[in-house]
Amino acid sequence: MTNFNPFLIHEQKNTIVQNPEPFKWVFDVQKDGILTADFLQTDKNLDVLVLLNGEGAKSKINCAYLSNKNNRLNLDIKVVHKVKNTFSEQKIKGLATDNSFVNFCGLIEIPHDSQKCDGRLNHRGVLLSSKASILAIPQLEIWADDVQCAHGSAVGPLDKNQLFYLQARGLNKFDATRLLLHSFLADVMPKDFESVIEKWMVENV
């Protein structure tokens, strides 16, 4: 793993990364800085650390993952609220098919003195094969008592009732599945990722 100085965020910053090289991304968000980072992972691991180092600092990490064949994806995203009055959100969604395996570990850490912080972490995964698997471990480490935090995760196949509904209205199974998956990924899929995701669906769904 390559080590390097963190990205310093002093104002609003949008970052879009497609299948980055497997080194550690470190973001240091200063007072009133705003970080929005969008990641798309298909065959490389991801390791992200966000340090909220100034009051009013905010971060939003979106990550979409697509896992197929015999891939083994490891996604590790950690946000540390180093000071009070900071906000973070992690939203991770992905698809796994064939014999692939996805391991997601998300963490929000709030030390003792970091009061009045707000941290959100949400993961959703769709299994497109009976042999695919997704392990999600969302974690909160909260040592302060005046905070708002939430985390959750859900993994499962597509809703059969939704598929039936769309097919009953004229869509074939492939188009119905693709429509549901596009809708599922929509809030973590900037336009920059659309062509890659569409190509992956054509080849794997």
Side-chain angles (χ1 to χ4, degrees), residues 18-60:
Q18 179 181 314
N19 232 23
E21 291 301 320
F23 55 66
K24 188 165 188 171
W25 291 77
V26 181
F27 298 96
D28 184 341
V29 188
Q30 303 293 300
K31 179 178 173 59
D32 296 324
I34 301 174
L35 167 69
T36 301
D38 298 294
F39 292 91
L40 173 61
Q41 304 299 125
T42 57
D43 58 8
K44 293 177 182 175
N45 297 332
L46 179 66
D47 192 347
V48 175
L49 172 62
V50 179
L51 303 172
L52 300 176
N53 271 320
E55 285 195 48
K58 299 179 180 179
S59 72
K60 183 175 183 179

Short mmCIF file of all heavy atoms in Angstrom, two decimals, residues 18-60:
data_model
loop_
_atom_site.label_atom_id
_atom_site.label_comp_id
_atom_site.label_asym_id
_atom_site.label_seq_id
_atom_site.Cartn_x
_atom_site.Cartn_y
_atom_site.Cartn_z
N GLN A 18 -13.06 6.45 -10.38
CA GLN A 18 -13.51 5.17 -10.93
C GLN A 18 -12.39 4.14 -10.81
O GLN A 18 -11.31 4.30 -11.38
CB GLN A 18 -13.91 5.33 -12.39
CG GLN A 18 -14.38 4.03 -13.03
CD GLN A 18 -14.73 4.22 -14.49
OE1 GLN A 18 -15.41 5.16 -14.85
NE2 GLN A 18 -14.26 3.34 -15.33
N ASN A 19 -12.66 3.08 -10.01
CA ASN A 19 -11.71 1.99 -9.86
C ASN A 19 -10.29 2.48 -9.55
O ASN A 19 -9.34 2.19 -10.29
CB ASN A 19 -11.69 1.14 -11.13
CG ASN A 19 -11.89 -0.32 -10.80
OD1 ASN A 19 -12.45 -0.68 -9.77
ND2 ASN A 19 -11.44 -1.18 -11.67
N PRO A 20 -10.11 3.22 -8.45
CA PRO A 20 -8.78 3.76 -8.17
C PRO A 20 -7.77 2.67 -7.87
O PRO A 20 -8.12 1.57 -7.49
CB PRO A 20 -9.04 4.63 -6.93
CG PRO A 20 -10.21 3.98 -6.26
CD PRO A 20 -11.07 3.47 -7.40
N GLU A 21 -6.51 3.04 -8.03
CA GLU A 21 -5.46 2.10 -7.65
C GLU A 21 -5.57 1.81 -6.16
O GLU A 21 -6.01 2.65 -5.38
CB GLU A 21 -4.09 2.70 -7.98
CG GLU A 21 -3.81 2.82 -9.47
CD GLU A 21 -3.87 1.46 -10.18
OE1 GLU A 21 -3.39 0.47 -9.60
OE2 GLU A 21 -4.40 1.41 -11.30
N PRO A 22 -5.19 0.59 -5.75
CA PRO A 22 -5.43 0.15 -4.37
C PRO A 22 -4.46 0.74 -3.35
O PRO A 22 -3.65 0.05 -2.76
CB PRO A 22 -5.28 -1.37 -4.46
CG PRO A 22 -4.33 -1.57 -5.58
CD PRO A 22 -4.62 -0.48 -6.57
N PHE A 23 -4.52 2.07 -3.20
CA PHE A 23 -3.79 2.66 -2.10
C PHE A 23 -4.79 3.38 -1.19
O PHE A 23 -5.97 3.47 -1.50
CB PHE A 23 -2.68 3.62 -2.58
CG PHE A 23 -3.14 4.71 -3.51
CD1 PHE A 23 -4.00 5.71 -3.09
CD2 PHE A 23 -2.66 4.75 -4.81
CE1 PHE A 23 -4.40 6.73 -3.93
CE2 PHE A 23 -3.07 5.76 -5.67
CZ PHE A 23 -3.94 6.75 -5.23
N LYS A 24 -4.32 3.89 -0.10
CA LYS A 24 -5.21 4.49 0.89
C LYS A 24 -5.49 5.95 0.55
O LYS A 24 -4.57 6.74 0.37
CB LYS A 24 -4.60 4.39 2.29
CG LYS A 24 -5.53 4.82 3.39
CD LYS A 24 -5.02 4.35 4.74
CE LYS A 24 -6.04 4.58 5.83
NZ LYS A 24 -5.64 3.95 7.10
N TRP A 25 -6.79 6.26 0.46
CA TRP A 25 -7.22 7.64 0.24
C TRP A 25 -7.44 8.29 1.60
O TRP A 25 -8.24 7.80 2.39
CB TRP A 25 -8.51 7.68 -0.58
CG TRP A 25 -8.33 7.24 -1.99
CD1 TRP A 25 -8.21 5.95 -2.44
CD2 TRP A 25 -8.25 8.08 -3.13
NE1 TRP A 25 -8.05 5.94 -3.80
CE2 TRP A 25 -8.07 7.24 -4.26
CE3 TRP A 25 -8.30 9.45 -3.33
CZ2 TRP A 25 -7.95 7.74 -5.55
CZ3 TRP A 25 -8.19 9.96 -4.62
CH2 TRP A 25 -8.01 9.10 -5.71
N VAL A 26 -6.76 9.39 1.84
CA VAL A 26 -6.90 10.09 3.11
C VAL A 26 -7.35 11.53 2.83
O VAL A 26 -6.69 12.25 2.08
CB VAL A 26 -5.58 10.11 3.91
CG1 VAL A 26 -5.77 10.85 5.24
CG2 VAL A 26 -5.08 8.69 4.14
N PHE A 27 -8.46 11.91 3.43
CA PHE A 27 -9.00 13.26 3.25
C PHE A 27 -9.00 13.96 4.61
O PHE A 27 -9.55 13.45 5.59
CB PHE A 27 -10.42 13.23 2.70
CG PHE A 27 -10.55 12.61 1.34
CD1 PHE A 27 -10.91 11.27 1.21
CD2 PHE A 27 -10.30 13.35 0.20
CE1 PHE A 27 -11.03 10.69 -0.05
CE2 PHE A 27 -10.42 12.78 -1.06
CZ PHE A 27 -10.78 11.45 -1.18
N ASP A 28 -8.40 15.13 4.68
CA ASP A 28 -8.34 15.94 5.89
C ASP A 28 -9.23 17.16 5.67
O ASP A 28 -8.85 18.09 4.96
CB ASP A 28 -6.88 16.34 6.15
CG ASP A 28 -6.70 17.10 7.46
OD1 ASP A 28 -7.69 17.62 7.99
OD2 ASP A 28 -5.55 17.18 7.93
N VAL A 29 -10.41 17.15 6.29
CA VAL A 29 -11.39 18.21 6.05
C VAL A 29 -11.27 19.25 7.16
O VAL A 29 -11.48 18.95 8.33
CB VAL A 29 -12.82 17.64 5.99
CG1 VAL A 29 -13.79 18.73 5.54
CG2 VAL A 29 -12.89 16.44 5.05
N GLN A 30 -10.93 20.48 6.75
CA GLN A 30 -10.69 21.56 7.68
C GLN A 30 -12.00 22.29 8.05
O GLN A 30 -13.08 21.91 7.61
CB GLN A 30 -9.68 22.53 7.08
CG GLN A 30 -8.35 21.90 6.70
CD GLN A 30 -7.56 21.43 7.90
OE1 GLN A 30 -7.22 22.22 8.77
NE2 GLN A 30 -7.27 20.13 7.96
N LYS A 31 -11.89 23.32 8.85
CA LYS A 31 -13.03 24.09 9.33
C LYS A 31 -13.93 24.52 8.17
O LYS A 31 -13.47 25.13 7.19
CB LYS A 31 -12.55 25.33 10.10
CG LYS A 31 -13.67 26.22 10.63
CD LYS A 31 -13.09 27.37 11.41
CE LYS A 31 -14.16 28.37 11.81
NZ LYS A 31 -15.23 27.78 12.64
N ASP A 32 -15.21 24.16 8.26
CA ASP A 32 -16.24 24.51 7.28
C ASP A 32 -15.98 23.92 5.89
O ASP A 32 -16.65 24.30 4.92
CB ASP A 32 -16.41 26.04 7.15
CG ASP A 32 -16.92 26.66 8.45
OD1 ASP A 32 -17.74 26.01 9.14
OD2 ASP A 32 -16.49 27.78 8.78
N GLY A 33 -15.03 23.00 5.78
CA GLY A 33 -14.81 22.35 4.50
C GLY A 33 -15.89 21.31 4.21
O GLY A 33 -16.48 20.74 5.13
N ILE A 34 -16.15 21.09 2.93
CA ILE A 34 -17.18 20.13 2.51
C ILE A 34 -16.57 19.18 1.48
O ILE A 34 -16.11 19.62 0.42
CB ILE A 34 -18.41 20.83 1.89
CG1 ILE A 34 -19.03 21.81 2.90
CG2 ILE A 34 -19.44 19.81 1.45
CD1 ILE A 34 -20.17 22.64 2.32
N LEU A 35 -16.55 17.91 1.80
CA LEU A 35 -16.04 16.89 0.88
C LEU A 35 -17.18 16.02 0.38
O LEU A 35 -17.97 15.49 1.16
CB LEU A 35 -15.02 15.99 1.60
CG LEU A 35 -14.64 14.70 0.88
CD1 LEU A 35 -13.82 14.99 -0.37
CD2 LEU A 35 -13.88 13.76 1.81
N THR A 36 -17.26 15.88 -0.95
CA THR A 36 -18.15 14.89 -1.56
C THR A 36 -17.29 14.01 -2.46
O THR A 36 -16.67 14.51 -3.40
CB THR A 36 -19.26 15.55 -2.39
OG1 THR A 36 -20.03 16.41 -1.55
CG2 THR A 36 -20.18 14.49 -2.99
N ALA A 37 -17.23 12.71 -2.16
CA ALA A 37 -16.40 11.79 -2.93
C ALA A 37 -17.24 10.62 -3.41
O ALA A 37 -17.95 9.99 -2.62
CB ALA A 37 -15.22 11.30 -2.10
N ASP A 38 -17.18 10.34 -4.71
CA ASP A 38 -17.91 9.24 -5.33
C ASP A 38 -16.93 8.21 -5.87
O ASP A 38 -16.07 8.54 -6.69
CB ASP A 38 -18.79 9.75 -6.48
CG ASP A 38 -19.84 10.75 -6.01
OD1 ASP A 38 -20.73 10.35 -5.26
OD2 ASP A 38 -19.75 11.93 -6.40
N PHE A 39 -17.08 6.97 -5.43
CA PHE A 39 -16.19 5.89 -5.87
C PHE A 39 -16.99 4.81 -6.59
O PHE A 39 -18.12 4.49 -6.19
CB PHE A 39 -15.49 5.25 -4.67
CG PHE A 39 -14.50 6.13 -3.98
CD1 PHE A 39 -14.89 6.94 -2.92
CD2 PHE A 39 -13.17 6.16 -4.38
CE1 PHE A 39 -13.98 7.75 -2.27
CE2 PHE A 39 -12.24 6.97 -3.74
CZ PHE A 39 -12.65 7.77 -2.67
N LEU A 40 -16.39 4.23 -7.63
CA LEU A 40 -16.94 3.07 -8.32
C LEU A 40 -15.88 1.99 -8.31
O LEU A 40 -14.78 2.17 -8.85
CB LEU A 40 -17.35 3.40 -9.75
CG LEU A 40 -17.79 2.21 -10.61
CD1 LEU A 40 -19.02 1.53 -10.01
CD2 LEU A 40 -18.06 2.65 -12.05
N GLN A 41 -16.19 0.85 -7.69
CA GLN A 41 -15.23 -0.26 -7.59
C GLN A 41 -15.76 -1.46 -8.36
O GLN A 41 -16.91 -1.87 -8.15
CB GLN A 41 -15.04 -0.66 -6.13
CG GLN A 41 -14.60 0.47 -5.21
CD GLN A 41 -13.26 1.06 -5.60
OE1 GLN A 41 -13.17 2.27 -5.80
NE2 GLN A 41 -12.25 0.24 -5.74
N THR A 42 -14.91 -2.03 -9.23
CA THR A 42 -15.30 -3.24 -9.95
C THR A 42 -14.33 -4.40 -9.71
O THR A 42 -14.77 -5.54 -9.62
CB THR A 42 -15.39 -2.97 -11.47
OG1 THR A 42 -14.14 -2.46 -11.94
CG2 THR A 42 -16.49 -1.97 -11.77
N ASP A 43 -13.04 -4.12 -9.59
CA ASP A 43 -12.11 -5.23 -9.38
C ASP A 43 -10.90 -4.84 -8.54
O ASP A 43 -9.91 -5.56 -8.51
CB ASP A 43 -11.64 -5.81 -10.73
CG ASP A 43 -10.97 -4.77 -11.61
OD1 ASP A 43 -10.71 -3.65 -11.13
OD2 ASP A 43 -10.71 -5.08 -12.79
N LYS A 44 -10.99 -3.71 -7.83
CA LYS A 44 -9.88 -3.29 -6.98
C LYS A 44 -10.40 -2.92 -5.60
O LYS A 44 -11.51 -2.40 -5.45
CB LYS A 44 -9.15 -2.10 -7.60
CG LYS A 44 -8.42 -2.46 -8.89
CD LYS A 44 -7.77 -1.24 -9.51
CE LYS A 44 -7.08 -1.61 -10.83
NZ LYS A 44 -6.53 -0.44 -11.52
N ASN A 45 -9.59 -3.19 -4.59
CA ASN A 45 -9.97 -2.87 -3.22
C ASN A 45 -9.98 -1.36 -2.99
O ASN A 45 -9.35 -0.61 -3.73
CB ASN A 45 -9.01 -3.54 -2.23
CG ASN A 45 -9.08 -5.05 -2.31
OD1 ASN A 45 -10.09 -5.63 -2.68
ND2 ASN A 45 -7.98 -5.71 -1.96
N LEU A 46 -10.69 -0.96 -1.94
CA LEU A 46 -10.79 0.46 -1.61
C LEU A 46 -10.51 0.66 -0.13
O LEU A 46 -11.05 -0.05 0.72
CB LEU A 46 -12.19 0.98 -1.95
CG LEU A 46 -12.46 2.46 -1.63
CD1 LEU A 46 -11.60 3.36 -2.51
CD2 LEU A 46 -13.94 2.78 -1.83
N ASP A 47 -9.68 1.65 0.19
CA ASP A 47 -9.37 1.99 1.57
C ASP A 47 -9.43 3.51 1.70
O ASP A 47 -8.62 4.22 1.11
CB ASP A 47 -7.98 1.46 1.93
CG ASP A 47 -7.70 1.51 3.43
OD1 ASP A 47 -8.48 2.16 4.16
OD2 ASP A 47 -6.71 0.90 3.86
N VAL A 48 -10.42 4.01 2.46
CA VAL A 48 -10.64 5.45 2.58
C VAL A 48 -10.64 5.84 4.05
O VAL A 48 -11.28 5.19 4.88
CB VAL A 48 -11.99 5.87 1.95
CG1 VAL A 48 -12.26 7.35 2.18
CG2 VAL A 48 -11.99 5.57 0.46
N LEU A 49 -9.93 6.92 4.37
CA LEU A 49 -9.95 7.50 5.71
C LEU A 49 -10.28 8.98 5.58
O LEU A 49 -9.61 9.72 4.86
CB LEU A 49 -8.59 7.33 6.40
CG LEU A 49 -8.41 8.05 7.74
CD1 LEU A 49 -9.40 7.53 8.78
CD2 LEU A 49 -6.97 7.91 8.23
N VAL A 50 -11.33 9.39 6.30
CA VAL A 50 -11.73 10.80 6.32
C VAL A 50 -11.54 11.33 7.73
O VAL A 50 -12.08 10.76 8.69
CB VAL A 50 -13.20 10.99 5.88
CG1 VAL A 50 -13.59 12.46 5.95
CG2 VAL A 50 -13.42 10.45 4.47
N LEU A 51 -10.79 12.42 7.86
CA LEU A 51 -10.57 13.07 9.14
C LEU A 51 -11.27 14.42 9.13
O LEU A 51 -10.90 15.31 8.34
CB LEU A 51 -9.06 13.26 9.38
CG LEU A 51 -8.21 11.98 9.34
CD1 LEU A 51 -6.73 12.33 9.40
CD2 LEU A 51 -8.59 11.04 10.48
N LEU A 52 -12.29 14.57 9.97
CA LEU A 52 -13.00 15.84 10.08
C LEU A 52 -12.32 16.64 11.18
O LEU A 52 -12.56 16.45 12.37
CB LEU A 52 -14.47 15.59 10.39
CG LEU A 52 -15.22 14.75 9.33
CD1 LEU A 52 -16.65 14.48 9.77
CD2 LEU A 52 -15.19 15.43 7.97
N ASN A 53 -11.43 17.56 10.76
CA ASN A 53 -10.51 18.20 11.69
C ASN A 53 -10.87 19.63 12.07
O ASN A 53 -10.13 20.26 12.82
CB ASN A 53 -9.10 18.20 11.10
CG ASN A 53 -8.33 16.94 11.47
OD1 ASN A 53 -8.42 16.47 12.60
ND2 ASN A 53 -7.58 16.39 10.53
N GLY A 54 -11.97 20.15 11.54
CA GLY A 54 -12.37 21.51 11.89
C GLY A 54 -13.87 21.59 12.10
O GLY A 54 -14.64 20.88 11.45
N GLU A 55 -14.29 22.45 13.01
CA GLU A 55 -15.73 22.60 13.25
C GLU A 55 -16.44 23.01 11.96
O GLU A 55 -15.92 23.79 11.16
CB GLU A 55 -15.98 23.65 14.33
CG GLU A 55 -15.67 23.17 15.73
CD GLU A 55 -16.26 24.09 16.79
OE1 GLU A 55 -17.46 24.43 16.68
OE2 GLU A 55 -15.52 24.46 17.72
N GLY A 56 -17.62 22.44 11.77
CA GLY A 56 -18.38 22.72 10.56
C GLY A 56 -17.97 21.87 9.37
O GLY A 56 -18.55 21.98 8.29
N ALA A 57 -16.98 21.01 9.54
CA ALA A 57 -16.53 20.15 8.44
C ALA A 57 -17.60 19.10 8.13
O ALA A 57 -18.26 18.57 9.02
CB ALA A 57 -15.22 19.46 8.80
N LYS A 58 -17.76 18.80 6.83
CA LYS A 58 -18.76 17.83 6.39
C LYS A 58 -18.14 16.90 5.34
O LYS A 58 -17.33 17.33 4.52
CB LYS A 58 -19.97 18.54 5.78
CG LYS A 58 -20.70 19.46 6.74
CD LYS A 58 -21.88 20.15 6.05
CE LYS A 58 -22.61 21.08 7.02
NZ LYS A 58 -23.73 21.78 6.35
N SER A 59 -18.56 15.65 5.36
CA SER A 59 -18.12 14.72 4.32
C SER A 59 -19.28 13.83 3.89
O SER A 59 -20.11 13.44 4.73
CB SER A 59 -16.95 13.86 4.80
OG SER A 59 -17.38 12.89 5.74
N LYS A 60 -19.31 13.54 2.61
CA LYS A 60 -20.29 12.59 2.07
C LYS A 60 -19.55 11.65 1.14
O LYS A 60 -19.01 12.07 0.12
CB LYS A 60 -21.42 13.30 1.33
CG LYS A 60 -22.48 12.33 0.82
CD LYS A 60 -23.66 13.06 0.19
CE LYS A 60 -24.74 12.06 -0.25
NZ LYS A 60 -25.91 12.74 -0.85
#
